[in-house]
């Protein structure tokens, strides 16, 4: 349901929208509306998580016309997130 903080079925488990964003950006650079569509999460929640991730130095945004396209600063972080998600899923 839009507005939920959980990850969509694509990620395979419920969890933090911030993790879902990192997993999406691992696949490709994305703007906010693409993340909203892919994650089925409300735009304000996506924007809030992107601000936190940007402040933490995890993502950076580049303005392209009227949109800001976000990308991961370091691919190693994505590997850590994937490993953590895999580890949690193995424990179930």
């Amino acid at each position: 349901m839009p507005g939920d903080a959980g990850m969509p079925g694509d990620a395979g488990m419920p969890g933090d929208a911030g993790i879902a964003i990192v997993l999406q950006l691992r696949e490709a650079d994305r703007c906010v509306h693409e993340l909203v569509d892919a994650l089925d999460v409300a735009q304000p929640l996506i924007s809030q998580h992107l601000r936190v991730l940007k402040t933490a130095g995890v993502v950076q945004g580049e303005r392209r016309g009227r949109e800001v396209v976000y990308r991961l600063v370091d691919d190693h972080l994505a590997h850590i997130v994937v490993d953590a998600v895999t580890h949690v899923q193995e424990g179930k």
Side-chain angles (χ1 to χ4, degrees), residues 62-80:
E62 176 184 326
R63 183 159 294 281
R64 294 186 190 162
R66 293 178 50 171
E67 297 181 327
V68 176
V69 177
Y70 292 90
R71 69 174 186 83
L72 292 176
V73 171
D74 184 354
D75 286 336
H76 291 101
L77 177 66
H79 292 292
I80 292 168

Side-chain angles (χ1 to χ4, degrees), residues 6 11 18 21-22 32 37 39 43 45 47 57 70 81 89-90:
I21 290 170
V22 170
V32 172
D37 291 345
L39 301 177
Q43 182 272 325
L45 185 62
S47 294
Y70 292 90
V81 171
Q89 288 175 335
E90 288 173 352

Side-chain angles (χ1 to χ4, degrees), residues 17-89:
I19 293 172
I21 290 170
V22 170
L23 294 174
Q24 285 289 313
L25 294 178
R26 177 176 172 249
E27 301 299 322
D29 298 352
R30 301 197 194 279
C31 59
V32 172
H33 76 83
E34 291 171 325
L35 291 167
V36 167
D37 291 345
L39 301 177
D40 195 28
V41 175
Q43 182 272 325
L45 185 62
I46 294 291
S47 294
Q48 178 183 4
H49 280 285
L50 284 168
R51 274 192 301 278
V52 170
L53 291 168
K54 189 173 179 182
T55 299
V58 174
V59 302
Q60 72 181 135
E62 176 184 326
R63 183 159 294 281
R64 294 186 190 162
R66 293 178 50 171
E67 297 181 327
V68 176
V69 177
Y70 292 90
R71 69 174 186 83
L72 292 176
V73 171
D74 184 354
D75 286 336
H76 291 101
L77 177 66
H79 292 292
I80 292 168
V81 171
V82 169
D83 289 346
V85 169
T86 300
H87 179 74
V88 168
Q89 288 175 335

